[in-house]
Amino acid sequence: MTRDLKAAVSAILQGYGAGQQPVTDTSAELHRLCGCLELLLQFDQKEQKSFLRPRKDYWDFLCAALWQQRGDTEPVRFVHSLDKLKTPLGKGRAFIRFCLAHGQLAESLQLCLLNPEFTREWYGPRSPLVCPELREDILDSLYALNGMTFDLDLLHPTRPLPLALGGPLVRPVLPSKAGST
């Protein structure tokens, strides 16, 4: 899983680095990166339920962890301002895209992972997020993206992919992603 993330980051650095064009919504590499991040953030996530609320997702972890470290943050405020986002999955995707566009993804995730005990409350032992060496590899890979330009439509973060880029008719859907965003 971390190898897939590193490969996705490498593809972006090779395809869009050294002053080349910005990464845009139509980039297959962007969609691969976001998919890898989403899978990583969902992998071995513990069941977090609350009364009369749906199952909590990685978005809830990000919010709780960031609140614990910094209180209210710009990425979280931005996502909350998007009224059309109804599910945690859609909000998590918008968070990732906002952070990429503003060069804040690695720092935001690092803040979320500062408290290992809190991370272990949300993730099981198989998650790369609880292993210090794998966590460091993940963050190093994401920090490499800080120099990249991401020109993304942040107001429509859940727009479907074109079919040629693995859109809904050809992209496999994991069971946990079956709901709408």
Side-chain angles (χ1 to χ4, degrees):
M1 189 174 327
T2 56
R3 274 184 276 155
D4 292 341
L5 178 66
K6 285 182 179 183
V9 168
S10 179
I12 287 179
L13 294 174
Q14 288 175 358
Y16 297 91
Q20 295 180 25
Q21 61 192 3
V23 181
T24 64
D25 292 306
T26 60
S27 164
E29 294 87 356
L30 169 70
H31 296 287
R32 179 177 174 202
L33 172 67
C34 290
C36 287
L37 279 169
E38 196 168 275
L39 188 61
L40 180 76
L41 289 166
Q42 291 174 330
F43 184 75
D44 204 21
Q45 191 174 26
K46 292 180 180 177
E47 189 76 21
Q48 299 281 334
K49 288 185 179 179
S50 63
F51 190 66
L52 296 177
R53 260 198 79 191
R55 178 190 179 280
K56 293 186 178 185
D57 206 329
Y58 72 90
W59 162 248
D60 300 290
F61 166 73
L62 295 171
C63 284
L66 284 170
W67 181 260
Q68 186 181 65
Q69 295 301 324
R70 288 264 171 97
D72 200 15
T73 62
E74 183 184 13
V76 172
R77 280 192 311 271
F78 173 77
V79 172
H80 282 302
S81 77
L82 299 174
D83 294 334
K84 66 182 168 199
L85 296 177
K86 304 296 182 199
T87 66
L89 187 58
K91 292 175 183 181
R93 289 174 179 168
F95 177 88
I96 290 170
R97 291 169 56 82
F98 179 91
C99 288
L100 283 169
H102 290 88
Q104 298 176 6
L105 183 59
E107 180 183 1
S108 294
L109 188 57
Q110 185 173 20
L111 285 170
C112 290
L113 301 173
L114 280 177
N115 183 342
E117 290 177 22
F118 185 77
T119 304
R120 282 192 297 274
E121 288 176 21
W122 283 79
Y123 290 93
R126 298 179 314 143
S127 172
L129 300 177
V130 299
C131 173
E133 296 83 16
L134 294 176
R135 187 171 54 233
E136 186 176 328
D137 279 351
I138 292 164
L139 293 172
D140 286 347
S141 294
L142 296 179
Y143 271 112
L145 295 172
N146 279 359
M148 303 299 303
T149 302
F150 289 85
D151 185 12
L152 307 177
D153 180 358
L154 297 178
L155 297 180
H156 302 95
T158 58
R159 170 173 53 196
L161 290 171
L163 292 178
L165 296 177
L169 295 179
V170 294
R171 182 178 51 195
V173 176
L174 297 177
S176 64
K177 297 179 188 176
S180 66
T181 56

